[in-house]
Amino acid sequence: VRSSAASDVYKRQVSVTYRSEKGTSQQTLLPMHVRTEAGLWYCEAYSSEREATRVYRVDRFLEVKTVPSPLQLERPISAIPHVHPSFPEVCIQLTARGVLRLEREPYLASRLQLKGEGEGWLNLRLQPEEYDWLIRILLSLGTDAKVLAPEELRTRIQQKAQEIAHFYTEM
């Protein structure tokens, strides 16, 4: 149980300059949880601008300042619903090498299912907004991962692979 003084620390908002793949943004965050995975620090925080809870890489904060005014929320903050039974089922067949490589992915390792000869499956119900993140990981696996479902994810991987192939033919 936290003391009231300690819990006040967790209610402090911060104004951050954050660098992501999409560029640099200014956000007002209410940090909820900090953790480390695979040598990197992550901060789960509620973003006032996005009106949602997100996970931020701490090393991508370019500037952090406390905000004096308290956060006024119209609805309670909830955890990030990346995986939920209502989302489409993602089913991926993996070679033994694919399994070994996904064992290093913090969000995916616990969902791996092994079968004979070291091969395996990855099954989860993932929010479609998270497909871009998963596509980057799957493309790095090449032919060591094969998406069986959903069709939307298969199609988006094919499109991205074609973009990459086209990029290299224009030299």
Side-chain angles (χ1 to χ4, degrees), residues 8 20 71 74 94 99 104 118 134 154 158 162:
D8 287 345
S20 72
L71 180 62
E74 293 182 18
L94 300 161
V99 168
R104 292 179 271 181
L134 185 58
R154 285 177 56 86
Q158 290 170 355
Q162 288 170 351

Side-chain angles (χ1 to χ4, degrees), residues 20-133:
S20 72
E21 293 177 1
K22 296 177 184 173
T24 303
S25 65
Q26 289 293 133
Q27 296 184 51
T28 305
L29 305 178
L30 180 63
M32 298 165 53
H33 180 72
V34 176
R35 68 177 183 274
T36 182
E37 290 178 9
L40 295 171
W41 286 89
Y42 295 89
C43 176
E44 185 175 329
Y46 178 81
S47 168
S48 297
E49 290 74 16
R50 294 184 175 39
E51 296 183 342
T53 303
R54 303 278 170 89
V55 175
Y56 298 87
R57 283 231 335 239
V58 173
D59 62 305
R60 291 185 180 170
F61 289 131
L62 302 177
E63 184 177 21
V64 179
K65 297 184 223 170
T66 59
V67 175
S69 61
L71 180 62
Q72 300 294 321
L73 296 173
E74 293 182 18
R75 58 184 187 269
I77 297 172
S78 61
I80 301 171
H82 293 296
V83 178
H84 190 271
S86 67
F87 296 147
E89 183 176 17
V90 173
C91 183
I92 301 169
Q93 183 178 0
L94 300 161
T95 65
R97 181 176 149 159
V99 168
L100 290 173
R101 293 190 54 206
L102 282 188
E103 285 176 342
R104 292 179 271 181
E105 290 294 332
Y107 288 110
L108 301 176
S110 64
R111 292 178 170 81
L112 288 172
Q113 300 170 13
L114 302 178
K115 66 177 194 172
E117 304 298 319
E119 296 175 343
W121 297 90
L122 177 65
N123 287 341
L124 67 152
R125 292 190 171 271
L126 188 66
Q127 182 176 5
E129 288 79 16
E130 298 295 327
Y131 286 175
D132 287 341
W133 163 77

Side-chain angles (χ1 to χ4, degrees), residues 137-158:
I137 292 170
L138 294 174
L139 284 173
S140 75
L141 297 177
T143 57
D144 290 316
K146 184 175 186 177
V147 175
L148 304 178
E151 188 60 35
E152 176 189 351
L153 182 58
R154 285 177 56 86
T155 301
R156 288 178 57 185
I157 288 175
Q158 290 170 355

